[in-house]
Coordinates of all heavy atoms in Angstrom, one line a residue:
K8 N 275.3 58.8 -159.1 CA 274.4 58.2 -158.2 C 273.5 57.1 -158.8 O 273.2 56.0 -158.3 CB 273.6 59.2 -157.5 CG 274.3 60.0 -156.5 CD 273.4 61.0 -155.8 CE 274.2 61.9 -154.8 NZ 273.4 62.9 -154.1
F16 N 271.5 47.3 -157.9 CA 270.4 46.6 -158.5 C 270.9 45.3 -159.1 O 270.4 44.2 -158.8 CB 269.6 47.4 -159.4 CG 268.4 46.8 -160.0 CD1 267.2 46.7 -159.2 CD2 268.4 46.2 -161.2 CE1 266.1 46.1 -159.7 CE2 267.3 45.5 -161.7 CZ 266.1 45.5 -161.0
H31 N 266.1 25.8 -154.8 CA 265.3 25.0 -155.7 C 265.8 23.5 -155.6 O 266.9 23.2 -155.7 CB 265.4 25.4 -157.1 CG 264.5 24.6 -158.0 ND1 263.2 24.4 -157.9 CD2 264.9 23.7 -159.1 CE1 262.7 23.6 -158.8 NE2 263.8 23.2 -159.6
K37 N 258.7 25.1 -159.0 CA 259.6 26.3 -159.0 C 259.0 27.5 -158.3 O 259.8 28.5 -158.0 CB 259.8 26.6 -160.5 CG 260.6 25.6 -161.2 CD 260.9 26.0 -162.6 CE 261.7 24.9 -163.3 NZ 261.1 24.3 -164.3
G38 N 257.8 27.6 -158.0 CA 257.2 28.8 -157.4 C 257.8 29.2 -156.1 O 258.2 30.4 -155.9
P39 N 258.0 28.3 -155.1 CA 258.6 28.7 -153.8 C 260.1 29.2 -154.0 O 260.5 30.1 -153.3 CB 258.6 27.4 -153.0 CG 257.5 26.6 -153.5 CD 257.5 26.9 -155.0
F41 N 261.1 30.9 -156.7 CA 261.0 32.2 -157.2 C 260.7 33.2 -156.1 O 261.3 34.3 -156.0 CB 260.0 32.3 -158.2 CG 260.4 31.8 -159.6 CD1 259.7 30.8 -160.2 CD2 261.4 32.5 -160.3 CE1 260.1 30.3 -161.5 CE2 261.8 32.1 -161.5 CZ 261.1 31.0 -162.1
G45 N 263.1 36.2 -154.8 CA 262.6 37.6 -154.8 C 262.7 38.2 -153.4 O 263.1 39.4 -153.3
L54 N 269.6 46.3 -148.2 CA 270.8 46.4 -147.4 C 271.9 47.2 -148.1 O 272.6 48.1 -147.6 CB 271.4 45.0 -147.2 CG 272.7 44.8 -146.4 CD1 272.4 45.3 -144.9 CD2 273.1 43.4 -146.4
V58 N 273.4 50.8 -146.6 CA 274.8 51.0 -146.3 C 275.3 52.2 -147.1 O 276.1 53.0 -146.6 CB 275.6 49.7 -146.7 CG1 277.0 49.9 -146.7 CG2 275.2 48.6 -145.7
L62 N 276.8 55.7 -145.6 CA 278.1 56.2 -145.9 C 278.1 57.6 -146.5 O 279.2 58.1 -146.7 CB 278.8 55.2 -146.8 CG 279.2 53.9 -146.1 CD1 279.8 52.9 -147.2 CD2 280.2 54.0 -145.0

Side-chain angles (χ1 to χ4, degrees):
K8 288 182 181 182
F16 182 83
H31 178 63
K37 293 184 177 111
F41 280 120
L54 181 65
V58 167
L62 291 174

